[in-house]
């Protein structure tokens, strides 16, 4: 089977963000400021496990600026076969509607895809919407918040998954091709091996494919700012929480508890 | 017509709490825009929530109780919502930012070639247009968003908007509609549901008690769980505790877990990594219990207790039991 994983480069989880004139910049004193979106590692891992069980290949797709290749490097290092970087200056300013259009075009171009897997959300935009919009554009079975892939039946062309939703764990079955968004509980992503990292370095230097609007046969009016409906003119740091921390002190735990509960009841927090 | 359409999430007449919050928020901005509010409810039980929806702000409620919609599935629900939006010509579609609300709006936005703004935490009206506020980068930053075209689809975060009291004097229309999808054409089969074991949902909870690395093991969660139960709250956890395997992932609060906004958040043995703070910083009152007086969590908290959580937490449970009787 042919699985596509959509992955994105994001700021690291420990990045310190700054914003000036609506432009967000970041740095990470403790490590690399740019990483593969952590949720996408679960998508890559699940794809690898499914290919180990059923045979086939994995193509990683990543849409982003020209230098945003961390997600693809991680995907190849973990074990994906191919990677395509989707980049074009005209794609800047894409909202989820425009992004889903671009990704759906890329998946159509690959032609023989059975399954596309996304991480639950990217930790920058945090929308958690692109996966299902891609499913709708392709007319594929939309399966979100997947906590386990129970079965892929290639003869019957079906997939059975367990979704983790507010009401509990829901088991559903639908036809392939399908688009999945996966949760953290689905697996434990492997660390790339030394060999994998070397392969990725080589792959990124010589084999990486790069597709823009022309290669995708995309309508330029549907991508980037031109295709986006949603604008985000203002981005800012949240106002700091007001007030100091009041330390509750007493001679005994019971005394501390009595003081705190009195304060919470006085302020009608409960 | 350019009303605001609200999708009410319901199962057998039980409405998701966030749906009433969304209806109230929609009513509020509809008043400022000078438009009406229409609501839609699908599946058995839809009819019985129509009147409560009118009392909470809907002018018209579309109901479809067809058997094909008896279990929620994203595609037929989105098909019908998109059809109602097209037939009625709406200015905006709003739903709660639940798993179902997100999916239905994502699919409908493609159908309607429309802008989609998920996880709104505030709505304002400026120059006759809706402006949304939503957190990005796990709440490390906030953005204001607008949409160039109509309709705009918005999911609203749980507990970010107040649900108004029902007004029994309000009247409105209830309109029965047919499903938009033939039952035979629905591709996804629901094979079963293993219900969450009577626990309070984190995103709906007014009170959350969370444990972190300081609980020291799965057994260490017991006093935290007892405190949560004493205050009628939900049980949360930091990523460190989840990654250590002490508690299931469903309890994780933070950047790669749930974002919560309770009235009271009690952090037990959580130092306050930036990823955790991102997920709970909008809590109204934060109480931190930690043995390290320098823990970053105290910078965010209103009340801090430096001490051994295994002594403090049981004392708090006993005190709450006594005082809340």
């Amino acid at each position: 089977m042919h699985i596509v994983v959509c992955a994105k480069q994001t700021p690291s989880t420990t990045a310190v963000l700054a914003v000036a004139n609506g432009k967000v910049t970041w740095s990470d004193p403790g490590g690399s400021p740019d990483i593969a979106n952590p949720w996408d590692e679960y998508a890559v891992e699940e794809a690898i496990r499914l290919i180990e069980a059923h045979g086939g290949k994995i193509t990683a797709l990543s849409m982003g600026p020209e230098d945003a290749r961390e997600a693809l490097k991680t995907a190849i290092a973990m074990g994906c076969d191919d990677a395509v970087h989707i980049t074009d200056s005209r794609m800047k300013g894409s909202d989820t509607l425009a992004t889903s259009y671009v990704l759906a075009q890329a998946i159509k171009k690959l032609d023989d895809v059975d399954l596309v897997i996304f991480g639950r959300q990217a930790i920058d935009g945090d929308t958690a919407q692109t996966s299902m919009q891609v499913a709708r554009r392709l007319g594929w079975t939309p399966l979100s918040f997947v906590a386990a892939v129970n079965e892929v039946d290639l003869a019957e062309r079906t997939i059975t998954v367990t979704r983790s939703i507010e009401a509990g764990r829901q088991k559903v079955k639908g036809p392939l091709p399908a688009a999945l968004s996966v949760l953290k509980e689905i697996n434990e992503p492997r660390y790339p091996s030394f060999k994998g990292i070397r392969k990725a370095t080589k792959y990124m230097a010589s084999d990486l494919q790069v597709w823009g609007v022309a290669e995708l046969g995309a309508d330029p009016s549907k991508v980037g700012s031109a295709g986006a409906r949603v604008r985000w003119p203002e981005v800012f740091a949240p106002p700091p929480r007001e007030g100091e921390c009041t330390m509750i002190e007493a001679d005994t735990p019971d005394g501390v508890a009595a003081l705190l509960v009195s304060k919470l009841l006085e302020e009608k927090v409960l | 017509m350019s009303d605001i359409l609200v999708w009410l999430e319901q199962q057998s007449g039980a409405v998701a709490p966030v749906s009433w919050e969304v209806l109230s928020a929609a009513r509020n901005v509809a008043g400022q825009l000078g438009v009406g509010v229409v609501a839609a409810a699908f599946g058995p039980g839809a009819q019985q929530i129509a009147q409560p929806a009118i009392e909470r702000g809907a002018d018209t409620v579309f109901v479809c109780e067809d058997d094909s919609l008896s279990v929620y599935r994203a595609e037929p629900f989105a098909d019908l919502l998109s059809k109602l939006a097209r037939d009625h010509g709406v200015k905006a579609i709003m739903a709660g930012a639940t798993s179902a609300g997100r999916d239905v709006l994502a699919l409908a936005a493609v159908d309607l070639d429309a802008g989609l703004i998920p996880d709104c935490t505030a709505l304002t009206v400026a120059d006759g247009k809706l402006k949304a506020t939503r957190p990005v980068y796990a709440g490390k930053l906030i953005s204001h968003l607008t949409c160039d075209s109509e309709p705009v689809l918005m999911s609203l975060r749980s507990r970010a908007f107040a649900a108004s009291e029902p007004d029994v004097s309000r009247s409105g229309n209830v309109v029965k509609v047919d499903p938009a999808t033939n039952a035979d054409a629905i591709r996804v089969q629901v094979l079963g549901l293993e219900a969450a074991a009577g626990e309070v949902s984190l995103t709906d909870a007014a009170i959350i008690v969370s444990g972190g690395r300081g609980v020291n093991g799965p057994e260490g969660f017991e006093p935290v769980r007892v405190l949560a139960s004493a205050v009628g709250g939900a049980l949360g956890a930091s990523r460190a505790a989840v990654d250590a395997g002490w508690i299931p992932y469903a309890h994780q609060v933070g950047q790669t877990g749930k974002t919560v906004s309770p009235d009271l958040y009690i952090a037990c043995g959580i130092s306050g990594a930036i990823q955790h703070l991102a997920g709970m910083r909008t809590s109204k009152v934060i109480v931190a219990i930690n043995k390290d007086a320098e823990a970053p969590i105290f910078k965010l908290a209103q009340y801090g207790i430096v001490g051994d959580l295994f002594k403090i937490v049981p004392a708090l449970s006993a005190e709450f039991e006594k005082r809340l009787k």
Side-chain angles (χ1 to χ4, degrees):
Chain A
M1 68 189 301
H2 187 182
I3 302 179
V4 163
V5 174
C6 292
K8 185 178 182 185
Q9 175 179 309
T10 61
S12 70
T13 56
T14 47
V16 178
L17 300 161
V19 58
N21 304 319
K23 193 173 158 46
V24 180
T25 55
W26 56 91
S27 59
D28 190 340
S32 172
D34 298 309
I35 59 166
N37 174 40
W39 293 95
D40 298 342
E41 294 185 13
Y42 300 90
V44 171
E45 178 65 33
E46 199 59 22
I48 295 170
R49 291 184 188 196
L50 288 169
I51 291 302
E52 282 168 355
H54 298 279
K57 65 168 179 176
I58 307 167
T59 304
L61 298 181
S62 185
M63 174 178 164
E66 206 176 352
D67 57 354
R69 295 181 167 179
E70 273 310 310
L72 294 175
K73 205 165 136 190
T74 301
I76 294 286
M78 286 175 72
C80 292
D81 301 284
D82 282 306
V84 182
H85 187 199
I86 303 168
T87 189
D88 194 307
S89 57
R90 286 172 285 183
M91 292 175 189
K92 195 168 180 280
S94 293
D95 62 359
T96 64
L97 194 71
T99 302
S100 65
Y101 170 73
V102 168
L103 293 175
Q105 287 293 117
I107 293 163
K108 280 183 200 161
K109 184 178 160 83
L110 290 168
D111 191 39
D112 58 349
V113 180
D114 302 287
L115 190 62
V116 51
I117 310 181
F118 292 78
R120 181 190 197 274
Q121 69 195 57
I123 62 164
D124 46 8
D126 279 331
T127 70
Q129 303 282 194
T130 306
S131 58
M132 294 301 103
Q133 296 204 297
V134 169
R136 191 67 156 185
R137 287 190 180 278
L138 294 168
W140 292 7
T141 308
L143 298 169
S144 59
F145 308 108
V146 171
V149 175
N150 303 100
E151 192 187 23
V152 173
D153 188 331
L154 289 173
E156 205 189 45
R157 304 278 307 154
T158 58
I159 181 165
T160 305
V161 303
T162 300
R163 304 176 61 233
S164 181
I165 55 175
E166 292 83 356
R169 292 168 74 85
Q170 183 198 49
K171 201 169 179 182
V172 298
K173 182 178 180 179
L176 291 173
L180 269 51
S181 80
V182 303
L183 301 176
K184 200 177 155 179
E185 59 194 296
I186 196 165
N187 58 43
E188 184 74 43
R190 68 196 63 195
Y191 285 104
S193 64
F194 182 64
K195 205 175 128 202
I197 294 166
R198 272 209 321 215
K199 184 186 143 200
T201 307
K202 193 162 158 260
Y203 187 96
M204 298 304 285
S206 52
D207 296 321
L208 179 72
Q209 300 183 68
V210 180
W211 294 350
V213 168
E215 288 80 4
L216 290 172
D219 176 349
S221 74
K222 290 189 174 178
V223 310
S225 317
R229 304 277 185 210
V230 174
R231 316 278 163 205
W232 45 98
E234 295 161 52
V235 182
F236 50 93
R241 285 182 72 92
E242 283 173 19
E244 292 270 294
C245 182
T246 306
M247 300 311 283
I248 309 281
E249 288 162 352
D251 292 339
T252 63
D254 290 345
V256 169
L259 275 174
L260 176 66
V261 173
S262 296
K263 290 215 180 273
L264 294 175
L265 292 175
E266 269 167 38
E267 288 181 25
K268 300 202 188 318
V269 178
L270 291 141
Chain B
M1 298 284 269
S2 57
D3 292 339
I4 297 176
L5 171 60
V6 174
W7 179 58
L8 300 171
E9 190 173 343
Q10 68 90 31
Q11 184 78 45
S12 310
V15 181
V18 66
S19 287
W20 292 145
E21 297 163 14
V22 175
L23 188 54
S24 300
R27 179 78 258 166
N28 190 16
V29 291
Q32 296 174 54
L33 290 164
V35 302
V37 175
V38 296
F42 308 149
Q47 182 74 40
Q48 74 192 74
I49 70 161
Q51 184 58 32
I54 289 166
E55 291 170 8
R56 286 170 170 83
D59 301 306
T60 298
V61 185
F62 295 106
V63 300
C64 181
E65 292 211 318
D66 194 83
D67 280 346
S68 65
L69 304 178
S70 62
V71 285
Y72 160 78
R73 284 172 292 186
E75 290 178 290
F77 274 57
D79 293 344
L80 183 51
L81 196 66
S82 297
K83 182 177 188 301
L84 288 173
R86 278 201 194 98
D87 291 352
H88 202 75
V90 299
K91 193 174 187 73
I93 308 179
M94 297 181 186
T98 59
S99 58
R102 285 173 175 286
D103 283 4
V104 167
L105 292 187
L107 303 189
V110 171
D111 298 349
L112 301 167
D113 197 23
L116 172 62
I117 306 179
D119 279 312
C120 301
T121 54
L123 293 176
T124 53
V125 174
D127 304 326
K129 276 181 73 172
L130 283 165
K131 185 160 94 171
T133 301
R134 72 180 297 267
V136 288
Y137 299 90
K140 290 177 193 170
L141 297 177
I142 307 286
S143 64
H144 284 162
L145 304 94
T146 55
C147 185
D148 293 347
S149 57
E150 290 183 356
V152 55
L153 280 63
M154 296 170 154
S155 67
L156 274 51
R157 193 169 269 187
S158 218
R159 299 183 52 77
F161 300 85
S164 56
E165 287 301 313
D167 172 0
V168 292
S169 69
R170 288 196 90 247
S171 62
N173 306 314
V174 181
V175 180
K176 286 188 183 168
V177 294
D178 292 325
T181 321
N182 198 318
D184 305 335
I186 302 175
R187 312 182 279 186
V188 170
Q189 275 175 275
V190 176
L191 304 178
L193 177 74
E194 192 186 309
E199 286 169 352
V200 184
S201 143
L202 276 174
T203 44
D204 289 332
I207 303 175
I208 294 173
V209 184
S210 283
R213 203 188 296 275
V215 306
N216 274 330
E219 317 76 40
F221 262 98
E222 205 39 45
V224 181
R225 199 184 300 269
V226 170
L227 178 56
S229 150
V231 293
L235 180 64
S238 72
R239 177 179 162 178
V242 172
D243 283 356
W246 300 343
I247 185 162
Y249 167 66
H251 295 274
Q252 186 179 319
V253 171
Q255 187 159 23
T256 52
K258 296 200 166 69
T259 302
V260 299
S261 193
D263 295 334
L264 174 62
Y265 189 92
I266 305 179
C268 309
I270 294 176
S271 62
I274 188 167
Q275 299 96 320
H276 186 77
L277 302 183
M280 45 65 82
R281 59 170 298 134
T282 57
S283 306
K284 285 206 185 80
V285 173
I286 297 168
V287 173
I289 303 162
N290 203 293
K291 64 177 195 289
D292 175 10
E294 301 300 314
I297 188 86
F298 289 121
K299 292 202 174 71
L300 209 63
Q302 271 73 42
Y303 296 110
I305 298 172
V306 178
D308 179 356
L309 76 91
F310 293 105
K311 295 197 174 107
I312 307 284
V313 171
L316 271 175
S317 301
E319 187 69 20
F320 275 119
E321 291 276 6
K322 196 166 79 190
R323 306 278 291 271
L324 290 175
K325 233 186 259 173

